């Protein structure tokens, strides 16, 4: 049976999946299909699927079906792939896609648009590289978020090193992968995952502080004796105060690095917002203006909305500090116009995933003795980025934004040979710094909290650490 199905499915099913289905023909599996644009309904009808949940904007269909039913599906031109998910991992993949759907829903309505999405999660080690992890479905969705919706995504590289190759399977071209180093950027964390050589050229990765990193502790939950001893040795109380020590933790991991790499782009986001204000014909001179706020979204079931670290920074709580406000002078507007418009430098000054990666790469510092498979584009810190923006002149701005364009050299030299002023004043740098350190906005979405109205999640449990029942138990009656 398996051989015939493989031919009919046109390789949509992997050999591994066919084996699992054949071994348990009567077992109910959760299957995720990737479908071509506009083909979801046609595929569901052609395959005679009775229970499904569709994310049409992503081209993803979740199905509950027995092994025998899946093995007898006919081939359909609209189906790109069929993955038979691990029962436990099915919940993770479904709820992740549901929360990404929720983010895009808010963006569509103009409620808020995240400037970055942080995914400090990934498939377990035993499923890396296997279709049971749902990696193809997650990568397909993330690719659309990045390339079609223009929202940067930061993903932790994983904690399965030092053996090369056990890298987070959700990493796809266009995302920003984060690995863990010490605070000085001189040491790579031993357990950080490494790519096999050669690392794909279209993957971007940065190192950031993730060894003995300080972060909020969800629920201020009790600590083990080992944790207390480690934190005493690391001097946690000296950083956060003895009275706050219970609600913070000293931990190592690439998730902590990803959190930092998700915060760093705030400076670039605000910087490009200021450049856009300087160029806009609608900008009033010497009048207080607002720069669009920076919102970093976290999809993580350990996110604690009640933690003091997030007070007045939750974007959906409507109690935040508000945007960065500043004034732009006539001379600043004139400089921007002359350097970019009159020089005919046809660059995009929008905040995009591509431009963000270009700025971060410029700010990153190499780490001696480490290959690209280990550290990627280099070590990032908040200070590195701030220093880069402080010293940035318009020729540098054009250099970053026009990389890869055939006119790159001509544009850069044209601006460099003019008076080529600094892009940002000291006051603007200080304003961006203060805003990004204290007032940027956070959207925390627990992984297993379902969007209102979902028909698959009546039994979803949002409490961190709770057992999550398989998606198959929640799909009855879905269409």
């Amino acid at each position: 049976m398996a051989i015939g199905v493989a031919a009919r499915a046109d390789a949509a099913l992997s050999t591994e999946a066919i084996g699992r289905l054949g071994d348990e023909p009567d077992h109910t599996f959760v299957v995720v299909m990737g479908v071509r644009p506009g083909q979801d309904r046609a595929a569901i009808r052609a395959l005679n699927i009775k229970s499904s949940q569709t994310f049409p904007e992503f081209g993803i269909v979740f199905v509950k079906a027995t092994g025998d039913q899946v093995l007898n599906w006919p081939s359909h031109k609209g189906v790109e792939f069929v993955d038979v998910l691990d029962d436990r991992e099915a919940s993770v993949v479904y709820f992740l896609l549901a929360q990404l759907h929720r983010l895009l829903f808010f963006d569509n309505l103009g409620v808020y648009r995240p400037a970055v999405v942080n995914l400090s999660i990934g498939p377990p080690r035993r499923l890396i590289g296997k279709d049971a992890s749902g990696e193809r479905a997650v990568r397909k969705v993330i690719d659309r978020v990045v390339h079609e919706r223009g929202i940067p995504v930061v993903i932790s590289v994983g904690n399965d090193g030092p053996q090369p190759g056990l890298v987070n399977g959700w990493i796809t071209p266009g995302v920003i992968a984060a690995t863990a180093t010490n605070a000085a950027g001189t040491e790579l964390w031993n357990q950080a995952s490494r790519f096999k050589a050669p690392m794909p050229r279209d993957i971007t990765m940065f190192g950031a502080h993730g060894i003995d990193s300080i972060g909020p502790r969800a629920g201020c939950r009790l600590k083990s004796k080992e944790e207390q001893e480690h934190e005493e040795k690391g001097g946690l109380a000296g950083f956060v105060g003895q009275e706050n020590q219970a609600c913070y933790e000293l931990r190592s991991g690439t998730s902590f690095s990803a959190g930092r790499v998700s915060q760093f782009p705030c400076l670039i986001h605000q910087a490009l917002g200021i450049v856009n204000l300087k160029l806009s014909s609608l900008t009033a001179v010497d009048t207080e203006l607002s720069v669009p706020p920076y919102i970093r979204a976290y999809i993580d079931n350990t996110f604690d909305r009640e933690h003091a670290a997030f007070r007045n920074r939750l974007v959906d709580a409507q109690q935040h500090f508000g945007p960065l406000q500043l004034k732009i002078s006539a001379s600043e507007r004139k400089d921007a116009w002359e350097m970019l418009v009159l020089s005919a430098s046809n660059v995009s000054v929008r905040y995009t995933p591509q431009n963000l990666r270009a700025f971060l790469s410029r700010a990153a510092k190499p780490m001696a003795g480490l290959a690209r498979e280990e550290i990627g584009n280099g070590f990032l810190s908040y200070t590195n980025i701030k220093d880069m923006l402080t010293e940035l002149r318009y020729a540098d701005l054009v250099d970053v934004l026009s990389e890869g364009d055939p006119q790159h050299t001509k544009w850069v030299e044209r601006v460099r040979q003019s008076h080529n002023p600094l892009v940002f004043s000291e006051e603007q740098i200080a304003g961006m710094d203060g805003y990004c350190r204290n007032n940027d906005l956070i959207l925390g979405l627990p992984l297993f909290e379902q969007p209102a109205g979902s028909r698959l999640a009546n039994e979803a449990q949002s409490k961190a650490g709770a057992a999550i029942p398989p998606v198959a138990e929640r799909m009855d009656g879905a269409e």
Side-chain angles (χ1 to χ4, degrees):
M1 180 187 293
I3 295 176
V5 171
R8 291 201 306 274
D10 295 326
L13 276 168
S14 69
T15 302
E16 174 197 347
I18 291 171
R20 289 179 61 209
L21 295 168
D23 289 342
E24 299 182 87
D26 297 324
H27 178 72
T28 298
F29 291 92
V30 176
V31 178
V32 60
M33 296 193 309
V35 297
R36 293 181 173 84
Q39 292 290 311
D40 51 293
R41 290 178 181 272
I44 290 171
R45 287 194 299 268
L47 275 58
N48 196 29
I49 292 171
K50 303 300 182 184
S51 179
S52 66
Q53 174 74 66
T54 304
F55 294 96
E57 74 276 32
F58 296 146
I60 293 293
V61 181
F62 282 84
V63 179
K64 184 181 73 171
T66 66
D68 189 60
Q69 287 172 330
V70 178
L71 286 172
N72 283 286
W73 282 350
S75 176
H76 189 274
K77 63 181 181 180
V79 178
E80 296 175 322
F81 60 83
V82 177
D83 286 347
V84 182
L85 301 183
D86 173 83
D87 284 346
R88 173 75 183 187
E89 196 65 11
S91 294
V92 175
V93 174
Y94 171 75
F95 285 121
L96 171 66
L97 269 54
Q99 293 293 31
L100 289 171
H101 164 82
R102 186 183 194 184
L103 283 177
L104 299 190
F105 169 74
F106 289 137
D107 182 31
N108 288 339
L109 291 177
V111 178
Y112 36 69
R113 176 181 176 83
V116 70
V117 176
N118 174 284
L119 299 178
S120 293
I121 47 180
R125 180 179 181 135
R126 64 184 175 84
L127 294 179
I128 291 175
K130 298 182 178 181
D131 68 347
S133 70
E135 289 175 4
R136 288 195 288 186
V138 175
R139 288 198 297 261
K140 177 181 172 74
V141 171
I142 291 175
D143 183 78
R144 293 200 172 189
V145 171
V146 173
H147 293 108
E148 295 183 14
R149 300 304 291 265
I151 300 174
V153 175
V154 174
I155 301 181
S156 54
V157 74
N159 303 331
D160 293 308
Q163 177 185 344
L166 296 173
V167 173
N168 190 333
W170 295 354
I171 295 173
T172 188
V175 307
I176 297 171
T179 190
T181 71
N182 62 353
T186 58
E187 176 189 351
L188 182 68
W189 188 45
N190 184 57
Q191 292 177 239
S193 296
R194 276 87 159 158
F195 282 88
K196 282 185 177 180
M199 177 179 169
R201 301 303 305 174
D202 54 4
I203 296 295
T204 303
M205 179 171 72
F206 299 100
H209 183 196
I211 299 176
D212 286 342
S213 179
I214 298 173
R217 187 175 180 86
C220 303
R221 61 190 186 279
L222 293 177
K223 299 177 182 180
S224 67
K225 180 180 179 181
E226 292 76 13
E227 288 176 318
Q228 294 177 33
E229 291 175 348
H230 178 67
E231 291 175 356
E232 182 177 354
K233 182 179 179 181
L236 176 64
F239 290 102
V240 301
Q242 190 70 42
E243 69 280 8
N244 299 318
Q245 187 172 355
C247 292
Y248 288 85
E249 58 188 359
L250 195 66
R251 298 280 298 278
S252 298
T254 60
S255 294
F256 297 97
S257 304
R260 292 181 182 276
V261 174
S262 298
Q263 184 180 18
F264 295 161
C266 177
L267 288 167
I268 296 165
H269 179 273
Q270 295 295 286
L272 288 173
I274 292 172
V275 173
N276 276 276
L277 286 173
K278 291 180 179 181
L279 288 169
S280 174
S281 60
L282 301 178
T283 297
V285 171
D286 295 327
T287 300
E288 197 156 88
L289 305 167
S290 294
V291 181
Y294 180 77
I295 301 172
R296 43 189 165 115
Y298 292 82
I299 301 178
D300 186 341
N301 213 44
T302 63
F303 187 85
D304 180 5
R305 291 176 57 88
E306 305 302 320
H307 200 284
F310 306 128
R311 187 171 296 140
N312 294 335
R313 297 181 81 160
L314 297 176
V315 67
D316 53 345
Q318 299 182 350
Q319 296 175 351
H320 45 75
F321 297 104
L324 168 62
Q325 294 186 314
L326 48 75
K327 295 180 180 181
I328 293 175
S329 67
S331 62
E332 287 177 308
R333 285 202 58 195
K334 182 173 181 288
D335 283 341
W337 183 266
E338 289 179 351
M339 295 299 100
L340 298 176
V341 179
L342 295 185
S343 71
S345 299
N346 190 15
V347 297
S348 169
V349 295
R350 296 183 179 91
Y351 176 82
T352 65
Q354 180 179 348
N355 285 347
L356 174 60
R357 294 193 302 271
F359 271 107
L360 293 179
S361 295
R362 187 181 184 91
K365 306 296 183 184
M367 287 182 63
L370 293 180
R372 184 169 179 270
E373 288 75 15
E374 298 171 297
I375 195 59
N377 298 52
F379 170 73
L380 277 179
S381 71
Y382 184 92
T383 301
N384 289 351
I385 299 171
K386 180 184 172 184
D387 290 346
M388 175 197 66
L389 293 175
T390 300
E391 300 167 1
L392 194 74
R393 294 186 178 274
Y394 275 95
D396 303 320
L397 179 66
V398 174
D399 185 31
V400 173
L401 298 180
S402 65
E403 183 179 353
D405 193 286
Q407 302 296 314
H408 170 265
T409 302
K410 181 197 296 186
W411 292 338
V412 172
E413 288 306 311
R414 187 181 294 159
V415 176
R416 186 169 285 136
Q417 291 171 12
S418 65
H419 69 291
N420 192 24
L422 292 169
V423 180
F424 306 107
S425 67
E426 291 183 6
E427 182 180 359
Q428 288 164 355
I429 293 293
M432 289 188 284
D433 182 35
Y435 173 82
C436 291
R437 287 185 185 275
N438 305 304
N439 300 335
D440 72 326
L441 300 178
I442 297 170
L443 175 62
L445 299 175
L447 179 61
F448 296 113
E449 177 185 87
Q450 261 303 296
S454 169
R455 293 168 295 167
L456 296 187
N458 293 331
E459 300 175 23
Q461 301 176 39
S462 60
K463 184 178 180 181
I468 306 300
V471 170
E473 297 179 13
R474 295 194 295 274
M475 295 185 71
D476 292 315
E479 297 178 359

